[in-house]
């Protein structure tokens, strides 16, 4: 069995000290030089170990101040299910209410945005075709816990009452309900989740470290004719949220 990399060994040691209350939430860690001397490794190894624990929400880095034990945070449960969109309200708000939190979101829509190549491929349209793009920040008790950027073909909704996802009589009703208003039946959605590190912009919006792990979900809704009607990039921070997939069983 290969030997564990030194930075993982140091991360385990730092985590052990926190679990055993050698350091408690809010405590400032000793300098990297001191930890490295105690553990027989260089400062770069300690830095990598600390960056790993920061990305996991165990530690918190404060610019110009040092590294601290993070306050424990209750992770938000994010449920992904084909049965989540209901006419009577928002699934996100329902999920937040279930864990005693106030769920809300902020959005910004830009109409007639040319589709970049990857989005065009996901929507089955030509690169440069016009889309309606909406950027979302989902909030739990006023704090961001999820980002999403949605794209819909302008040719599909242009000139209708549902052209703006967050405007008009069906504002905030969700893709399935809005499409039904223009005679399009959404039959299924495909989601492709993958882990990666947050970008600088995502980290800034979510209030996390740039090295933090996130789950990036590429989601696409399809009509009953197999036509993509919306695609979105959803970003969920691993330290703040747990993702649960709820799969209905047909009878």
């Amino acid at each position: 069995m290969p030997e564990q990399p030194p930075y993982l060994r140091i991360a385990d040691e730092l985590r052990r000290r926190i679990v055993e209350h050698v350091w408690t939430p809010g405590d400032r860690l000793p300098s990297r030089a001191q930890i490295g001397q105690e553990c027989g490794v260089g400062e770069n190894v300690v830095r990598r170990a600390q960056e790993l624990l920061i990305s996991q929400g165990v530690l918190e880095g404060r610019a110009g101040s040092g590294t601290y034990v993070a306050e424990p945070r209750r992770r938000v449960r994010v449920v992904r299910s084909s049965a989540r969109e209901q006419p009577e309200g928002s699934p996100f708000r329902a999920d937040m209410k279930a864990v005693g939190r106030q769920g809300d979101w902020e959005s910004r829509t830009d109409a007639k945005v040319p589709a970049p190549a990857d989005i065009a491929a996901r929507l089955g349209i030509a690169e440069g075709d016009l889309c309606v793009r909406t950027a979302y920040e989902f909030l739990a008790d006023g704090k961001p816990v999820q980002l999403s950027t949605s794209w819909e073909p302008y040719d599909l909704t242009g000139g209708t009452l549902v052209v703006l996802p967050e405007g008009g009589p069906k504002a905030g009703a969700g893709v399935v309900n809005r499409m039904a208003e223009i005679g399009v039946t959404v039959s299924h959605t495909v989601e492709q989740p993958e882990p990666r590190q947050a970008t600088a912009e995502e980290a800034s919006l979510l209030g996390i470290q740039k090295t933090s792990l996130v789950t990036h979900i590429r989601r696409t809704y399809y009509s009953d004719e197999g036509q993509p009607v919306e695609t979105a990039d959803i970003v969920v921070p691993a330290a703040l949220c747990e993702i649960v997939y709820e799969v209905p069983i047909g009878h």
Side-chain angles (χ1 to χ4, degrees):
M1 187 173 181
E3 188 178 350
Q4 188 181 41
Y7 81 95
L8 291 180
R9 177 172 60 83
I10 301 306
D12 285 345
E13 172 60 21
L14 299 183
R15 194 181 287 107
R16 180 191 66 78
R17 296 185 187 187
I18 294 168
V19 169
E20 295 180 359
H21 305 293
V22 176
W23 301 320
T24 57
D27 284 353
R28 181 183 177 188
L29 268 61
S31 69
R32 289 173 184 164
Q34 183 177 337
I35 294 173
Q37 187 174 22
E38 289 178 15
C39 300
V41 297
E43 289 186 41
N44 283 339
V45 173
V46 178
R47 176 182 57 78
R48 286 193 68 190
Q50 290 182 342
E51 287 176 349
L52 174 64
L53 295 180
I54 288 171
S55 75
Q56 295 173 344
V58 177
L59 298 179
E60 175 186 343
R62 300 179 190 173
S65 179
T67 303
Y68 294 77
V69 179
E71 295 289 339
R73 294 163 124 181
R74 187 169 49 138
R75 295 171 83 205
V76 172
R77 170 170 285 210
V78 177
V79 178
R80 316 293 306 164
S81 170
S82 60
R84 298 301 289 172
E85 291 205 51
Q86 301 295 335
E88 60 268 20
S90 158
F92 179 76
R93 286 198 179 110
D95 286 344
M96 295 304 98
K97 185 177 181 181
V99 294
R101 302 219 187 171
Q102 179 69 37
D104 207 349
W105 64 84
E106 298 174 356
S107 66
R108 184 188 70 254
T109 296
D110 298 300
K112 298 185 178 181
V113 178
D118 61 325
I119 296 299
R122 285 155 59 177
L123 288 173
I125 60 178
E127 182 179 356
D129 280 0
L130 298 182
C131 289
V132 177
R133 180 184 64 196
T134 305
Y136 293 90
E137 291 181 46
F138 290 91
L139 312 171
D141 292 339
K143 296 181 180 179
V145 293
Q146 179 179 316
L147 304 175
S148 178
T149 304
S150 165
W151 298 77
E152 296 177 356
Y154 185 77
D155 279 350
L156 180 64
T157 60
T160 74
L161 292 176
V162 299
V163 63
L164 302 178
E166 298 298 321
K170 286 291 180 178
V175 175
V176 175
N177 297 313
R178 287 177 46 252
M179 292 299 161
E181 283 294 302
I182 57 173
V184 176
T185 300
V186 175
S187 63
H188 67 285
T189 180
V190 174
E191 295 195 348
Q192 178 186 351
E194 65 178 11
R196 62 168 173 79
Q197 290 186 329
T199 66
E201 182 181 10
E202 290 164 351
S204 177
L205 289 171
L206 290 166
I208 58 177
Q209 296 288 324
K210 282 190 287 186
T211 55
S212 295
L213 293 176
V214 297
T215 301
H216 177 185
I217 303 171
R218 293 178 179 87
R219 181 200 69 200
T220 303
Y221 280 106
Y222 292 86
S223 73
D224 55 359
E225 296 178 349
Q227 178 66 36
V229 297
E230 186 262 8
T231 195
D233 291 286
I234 301 165
V235 177
V236 181
L240 304 182
C241 302
E242 61 175 359
I243 300 174
V244 177
Y245 277 85
E246 184 179 280
V247 182
I249 305 297
H251 294 285

